[in-house]
Amino acid sequence: MERQVLLSEPEEAAALYRGLSRHPSLSAACLGPEVTTQYGGQYRTVHTEWTQRDLERMENIRFCRQYLVFHDGDSVVFAGPAGNSVETLGELLSRESPSGTMKAVLRKARGTGPGEEKQFLEVWEKNRKLKSFNLSALEKHGPVYEDDCFGCLSWSHSETHLLYVAEKKRPKAESFFQTKALDVSASDDEIARLKKPDQAIKGDQFVFYEDWGENMVSKSIPVLCVLDVESGNISVLEGVPDNVSPGQAFWAPGDAGVVFVGWWHEPFRLGIRFCTNRRSALYYVDLIGGKCELLSDDSLAVSSPRLSPDQCRIVYLQYPSLIPHHQCSQLCLYDWYTKVTSVVVDVVPRQLGENFSGIYCSLLPLGCWSADSQRVVFDSAQRSRQDLFAVDTQVGTVTSLTAGGAGGSWKLLTIDQDLMVAQFSTPSLPPTLKVGFLPSAGKEQSVLWVSLEEAEPIPDIHWGIQVLQPPPEQENVQHVGLDFEAILLQPSNPPDKTQVPMVVIPHGGPHSSFVTAWMLFPAMLCKMGFAVLLVNYRGSTGFGQDSILSLPGNVGHQDVKDVQFAVEHVLQEEHFDASRVALMGGSHGGFISCHLIGQYPETYRACVARNPVINIASMLGSTDIPDWCVVEAGFPFSSDCLPDLSVWAEMLDKSPIKYIPQVKTPLLLMLGQEDRRVPFKQGMEYYRALKTRNVPVRLLLYPKSTHALSEVEVESDNFMNAVLWLCTHLGS
């Protein structure tokens, strides 16, 4: 058995972090075409993409690895790797053509000037690069979108064209006092061209362009672009309504047009990252006549349309409420030929027994259809787990593919010709890569999974799920009977359990959740001898729509009471050291943590808060999601209304800043100066209030970091400083 690291040994903590941070995670996978050997055997290649922290280079690196899967049509006969991993440099997007004979790659490369980047769209065939287009030099549009909100790279069914989303080309601008020397040797035509008034617009250098918020600061006006692979001609599609921004596009049946999601951007853009409630709809634009047709309800929000293999139907996620930023969704089906839309899976208000609790994924996998175009496969949080599900689109039945398994969490990477590629992990097991065939309808629970890439379990971590029922006085009167859960990690065999300190971590959002998957920080803390409590308070995803709707208007109360109840319950049941309990939370988790040290100052000896919401009222005018402030405070949001004094008073009343006079817990603040979601001035407001009252507080300000604080240099510094803070204030 490995010796657990003592709290007083930061050098060993750094070594432990270095070791565990090397475990990579899967980011994507695709399947190559079916190959039949000369002996009649069948196999497919699995191309996988991974990410890993590199502490020497202080960056996240991306690499790929291929595997071979031999099968007999409905089960895997043999599977294994085909060579070693290779780092993929500069790849932003990649997509195999429908036949698998070609691959498109969007790649970035350094330009000649300082900080300048170029983008190339490459087409690969067999062992050669067939085509390479310098998109930056062609100047048909701005940078290509590589994000998962708008971005796409889609082959036409004929494999002659590529569809993608890019920033609309902006007019050149210059100072009123900009002068250009004319070349006296230039021809009259060249001089006339230089004198053209539309070359640059004077005085427009500093015109403000709205963007889509956190992690989307360079993205403002997306356009749909089509590349003719043979000629190299690029065209920007016309016909998209002026009031929407297009994304998530793909080719319609027959390549006669393009289907896309259009997001409303009037009267102004709101942050879109992690916000599935942005008003949007499904559209079809005809490439011949340029006519645009609405395919879905335009008063709701939609996401990730996926065309069936037989090109007859489109399945997509639809969010019936524009209020919570994330929620339970509907699975809708649009029949391309009858033009009839049906709801295949509806919103689930509340889970009944062990039944399905609803769909909570924000995106469907690019490959999600069964070979017969009848079933759709996806992953979704179900309480504190994440499972795989198959939905029969004809009758709407939902069947779990992974229930009753090892208790960890699953993520579907792709399915093609019924061969599924998935990731599995647990809080003590880093990500593993598995493949298996989707069984025939009615036999979904008999998937035979085969591992392509195993990970070694991390020893000395014991974990489980705690089911918690709030006491009667904490019931939500509008949503009575809701329960919630917490995931507890603890050292397997501590010498004395009563000496084990506990770190409590509420998640951010608030409408998100922890699932029983691999998480670096909790595993690290547990290996160092801490018990770690991850709380899915009421309002978390995975527990039914009622749970989500119970929280807006009750933040700062219901979520805080739930976490405190979980802490007291676990301390009573597990007998950890109640005098050494600490908090660690980010965003809304930081909001809850700062509430707890104000409302229950005797419980917590230390607190670490990352980009916490401190004052909802003051955050309203500076965040990229002002609707969040209004909705979570319990009011309806409208873009044209200004809150009155009573609304601001209610926001202030629900904020941690209210409880400043009671705070005495030492606090470590970690703030990203480029955070657009919870601007760093929120943390500064708290820091100054605590400094004035002589409460021990330390502030780490990361100048180039955003809300997630996920850059490798920042994240590693976060962890080590958090560990030292806990060691200092909890004691060894």
Side-chain angles (χ1 to χ4, degrees), residues 290-556:
K291 181 184 176 184
C292 192
E293 180 184 350
L294 179 68
L295 304 183
S296 70
D297 189 324
D298 65 354
S299 65
L300 307 176
V302 303
S303 172
S304 50
R306 305 290 184 246
L307 182 66
S308 61
D310 63 7
Q311 299 186 32
C312 291
R313 286 169 293 169
I314 298 169
V315 71
Y316 60 94
L317 298 175
Q318 180 169 274
Y319 302 89
S321 170
L322 299 181
I323 299 172
H325 74 273
H326 190 48
Q327 60 193 295
C328 188
S329 72
Q330 297 171 320
L331 185 70
C332 295
L333 184 75
Y334 177 80
D335 189 296
W336 187 255
Y337 294 101
T338 66
K339 301 189 181 302
V340 173
T341 300
S342 57
V343 175
V344 179
V345 179
D346 210 342
V347 168
V348 178
R350 197 169 299 205
Q351 184 185 33
L352 300 174
E354 295 297 314
N355 294 338
F356 180 62
S357 66
I359 301 175
Y360 301 93
C361 54
S362 55
L363 289 170
L364 294 171
L366 283 172
C368 64
W369 280 95
S370 62
D372 61 3
S373 298
Q374 298 299 305
R375 289 176 292 170
V376 170
V377 183
F378 61 91
D379 57 67
S380 177
Q382 297 293 290
R383 298 180 71 85
S384 298
R385 286 183 49 170
Q386 185 163 298
D387 284 313
L388 302 185
F389 296 92
V391 177
D392 188 320
T393 59
Q394 300 302 298
V395 293
T397 54
V398 183
T399 309
S400 174
L401 302 175
T402 50
S409 287
W410 294 79
K411 176 185 176 183
L412 180 69
L413 298 167
T414 191
I415 176 174
D416 186 71
Q417 294 295 315
D418 290 342
L419 181 58
M420 298 180 289
V421 185
Q423 172 183 288
F424 174 75
S425 69
T426 77
S428 60
L429 178 69
T432 63
L433 175 64
K434 295 180 180 290
V435 291
F437 274 93
L438 176 67
S440 57
K443 299 179 181 178
E444 283 91 352
Q445 293 184 327
S446 60
V447 180
L448 295 175
W449 294 102
V450 175
S451 293
L452 291 182
E453 197 77 66
E454 286 280 10
E456 288 295 321
I458 307 302
D460 305 326
I461 296 178
H462 175 76
W463 63 271
I465 298 173
Q466 305 262 336
V467 181
L468 300 155
Q469 190 75 44
E473 65 273 15
Q474 293 177 21
E475 281 280 15
N476 185 302
V477 292
Q478 279 84 32
H479 302 279
V480 178
L482 297 172
D483 65 356
F484 65 102
E485 290 182 347
I487 303 168
L488 177 64
L489 286 70
Q490 57 182 302
S492 296
N493 297 295
D496 182 0
K497 203 170 185 180
T498 62
Q499 297 297 309
V500 173
M502 184 167 76
V503 178
V504 181
I505 308 179
H507 62 72
H511 308 300
S512 64
S513 65
F514 288 119
V515 294
T516 54
W518 172 252
M519 295 166 279
L520 179 61
F521 273 28
M524 284 287 308
L525 291 169
C526 192
K527 286 293 290 179
M528 293 181 63
F530 293 95
V532 182
L533 187 65
L534 308 165
V535 187
N536 285 327
Y537 44 86
R538 284 173 292 171
S540 303
T541 52
F543 294 80
Q545 185 79 336
D546 283 358
S547 182
I548 291 169
L549 296 179
S550 73
L551 189 53
N554 294 305
V555 294

Side-chain angles (χ1 to χ4, degrees), residues 19-226:
L20 289 184
S21 67
R22 287 196 182 106
H23 289 287
S25 61
L26 279 150
S27 55
C30 65
L31 287 154
E34 193 80 59
V35 177
T36 302
T37 69
Q38 59 181 325
Y39 304 107
Q42 294 175 299
Y43 73 87
R44 301 189 72 177
T45 57
V46 181
H47 178 88
T48 60
E49 295 178 9
W50 305 68
T51 59
Q52 180 185 332
R53 300 167 180 86
D54 187 326
L55 291 176
E56 279 66 41
R57 284 158 52 177
M58 281 298 175
E59 61 179 314
N60 273 307
I61 59 170
R62 296 175 60 192
F63 62 91
C64 64
R65 194 176 194 193
Q66 291 198 340
Y67 305 83
L68 294 178
V69 177
F70 289 84
H71 64 89
D72 58 11
D74 57 10
S75 63
V76 176
V77 176
F78 171 81
N84 288 318
S85 303
V86 179
E87 186 174 355
T88 52
L89 294 172
E91 277 196 20
L92 300 176
L93 288 172
S94 64
R95 198 74 70 235
E96 300 271 348
S97 65
S99 68
T101 58
M102 292 185 288
K103 182 178 182 178
V105 175
L106 174 68
R107 193 182 307 276
K108 67 176 180 181
R110 286 184 180 177
T112 52
E116 182 188 346
E117 280 189 353
K118 294 181 178 180
Q119 287 186 331
F120 295 84
L121 191 50
E122 305 166 348
V123 177
W124 293 78
E125 181 188 55
K126 296 181 180 177
N127 64 336
R128 62 174 180 155
K129 187 192 291 187
L130 188 65
K131 301 269 187 176
S132 183
F133 306 97
N134 186 339
L135 300 180
S136 303
L138 292 172
E139 294 189 334
K140 293 283 188 175
H141 50 68
V144 177
Y145 286 29
E146 81 293 350
D147 61 277
D148 58 5
C149 293
F150 293 96
C152 65
L153 185 57
S154 176
W155 282 92
S156 62
H157 304 292
S158 62
E159 303 192 354
T160 57
H161 293 76
L162 282 163
L163 170 68
Y164 58 93
V165 176
E167 181 68 14
K168 184 178 181 180
K169 184 180 179 181
R170 295 182 184 178
K172 294 179 181 178
E174 65 183 22
S175 165
F176 286 109
F177 305 99
Q178 183 81 26
T179 56
K180 292 180 181 177
L182 293 179
D183 185 354
V184 293
S185 63
S187 67
D188 291 342
D189 289 343
E190 288 174 326
I191 291 172
R193 180 176 55 81
L194 286 170
K195 287 182 176 179
K196 277 187 180 179
D198 60 346
Q199 285 296 103
I201 302 173
K202 291 186 181 292
D204 276 12
Q205 302 148 279
F206 305 108
V207 167
F208 173 66
Y209 285 87
E210 291 176 16
D211 58 44
W212 291 94
E214 176 70 16
N215 291 141
M216 305 282 283
V217 292
S218 62
K219 298 174 172 67
S220 178
I221 309 172
V223 290
L224 299 175
C225 305
V226 173

